[in-house]
Amino acid sequence: MPSSDTSSVSRETPRKGGLVLLSVLSLIAFAILLALGTWQVQRLKWKLDLIERVEARVDAAPVAMPGPAAWPDLTDEEWDYRPIEVSGRFLLGEVYYFISLSDPRGDVGGPGYFVYQPFETEDGLVVMVNRGFVPDTRRLPETRPGSEADEGRTTIVGLWRRNEHGNFLTLAPDLGKRIWFVRDAREMAAELGQRGDNVAPFTLDLTASFTPAGGLPQAGETIITSTNNHLQYVVTWYGLAAVLVVVYVVYVRRHLGRSHEDGAAGTD
């Protein structure tokens, strides 16, 4: 019949093996959590720098609109919200981008639309221009007399805006009413008969000074957004790493306590 010492050793061996495996897995998980937290710290710094650049960019002096040769190399990080100055004339036609303006800078807000109209530059390029906000009940031009754009040559200043990309939840455009739910410069332009390589892959939001005398469309209502959840992610990943350490320490202390008790019982 095996002795109590042999029985104690046989119970202790698998326990030690389990503790080693648990330690290795815990170390791997801890390293992954630390890596994710550190990556989010880096992303946080990048996002704060980007927000700072955007805030400074909005109030910068306008620059000339880049031409087609430069379009493939334009990045949202460097160009979004940059003031652009361009001369030319507005073309006929409007399309509408649904928006709920909760914090308007002008007199009107709530559910409504940004009014987009094609603008032909002196170089023959076409860019879709957001002329401003109109309430839901005044989407169509006949409901807002005096809102027409200047017919002749003019110079405008607007903020460069990137295209948007929808997902499986995004509503398809209502082509019958020319209403869009994501901003797509070339699709909007195509609906008004403007197609080709001369159509810019971005849009311009007119600044507030271009609001017509009648008040609509209400220009200068660019929504400046820059979601920053990286601090939350930093706290989450580092917090999980800390929790893992606490759980591991508690488990090991209990494991060693049971081993000590078993050793004492085997001696008895």
Side-chain angles (χ1 to χ4, degrees):
M1 184 172 184
S3 68
S4 59
D5 289 343
T6 303
S7 176
S8 176
V9 170
S10 64
R11 289 196 303 267
E12 188 66 22
T13 300
R15 285 184 180 178
K16 288 183 177 179
L19 181 58
V20 170
L21 178 60
L22 176 65
S23 299
V24 171
L25 294 177
S26 298
L27 182 60
I28 293 173
F30 182 72
I32 292 174
L33 292 172
L34 282 185
L36 289 171
T38 302
W39 176 61
Q40 287 300 329
V41 168
Q42 296 169 350
R43 294 288 293 174
L44 175 62
K45 182 179 184 301
W46 167 81
K47 181 55 71 72
L48 292 175
D49 290 343
L50 176 60
I51 292 173
E52 184 178 349
R53 291 200 305 271
V54 167
E55 290 176 348
R57 184 182 304 161
V58 169
D59 297 324
V63 299
M65 190 179 91
W71 290 348
D73 298 322
L74 301 181
T75 64
D76 296 344
E77 290 182 12
E78 293 299 324
W79 282 87
D80 208 12
Y81 303 108
R82 184 182 294 275
I84 302 293
E85 182 177 88
V86 62
S87 297
R89 64 187 182 93
F90 281 100
L91 304 177
L92 296 178
E94 293 180 349
V95 296
Y96 311 99
Y97 173 87
F98 178 79
I99 190 74
S100 184
L101 201 59
S102 59
D103 189 20
R105 298 179 182 85
D107 296 330
V108 294
Y113 303 90
F114 284 145
V115 177
Y116 282 83
Q117 189 166 344
F119 186 89
E120 184 180 44
T121 73
E122 294 177 335
D123 298 327
L125 306 177
V126 174
V127 58
M128 293 299 292
V129 173
N130 172 9
R131 295 186 53 221
F133 176 80
V134 295
D136 182 54
T137 56
R138 304 187 69 181
R139 175 174 62 87
L140 298 176
E142 54 266 29
T143 65
R144 39 184 168 88
S147 68
E148 300 84 3
D150 293 336
E151 294 183 357
R153 181 188 179 281
T154 186
T155 298
I156 61 173
V157 176
L159 300 182
W160 192 99
R161 293 310 328 277
R162 58 178 174 79
N163 268 351
E164 292 178 335
H165 304 285
N167 54 41
F168 69 96
L169 296 176
T170 303
L171 295 175
D174 184 341
L175 299 182
K177 296 180 179 179
R178 293 179 175 172
I179 295 174
W180 263 257
F181 299 94
V182 294
R183 185 175 55 245
D184 190 306
R186 284 178 168 164
E187 281 193 7
M188 289 175 164
E191 186 61 23
L192 298 176
Q194 302 297 326
R195 300 178 177 86
D197 295 338
N198 66 321
V199 178
F202 51 85
T203 61
L204 300 180
D205 284 6
L206 286 184
T207 55
S209 61
F210 290 91
T211 301
L216 294 177
Q218 182 173 278
E221 294 293 349
T222 300
I223 299 174
I224 300 177
T225 59
S226 187
T227 303
N228 185 8
N229 296 321
H230 297 295
L231 180 58
Q232 174 184 335
Y233 298 147
V234 169
V235 173
T236 297
W237 294 124
Y238 282 158
L240 288 174
V243 169
L244 176 62
V245 170
V246 172
V247 171
Y248 175 79
V249 169
V250 170
Y251 176 84
V252 170
R253 291 183 65 181
R254 289 181 178 177
H255 175 83
L256 294 177
R258 287 197 300 269
S259 297
H260 178 73
E261 291 173 0
D262 290 346
T267 301
D268 293 342

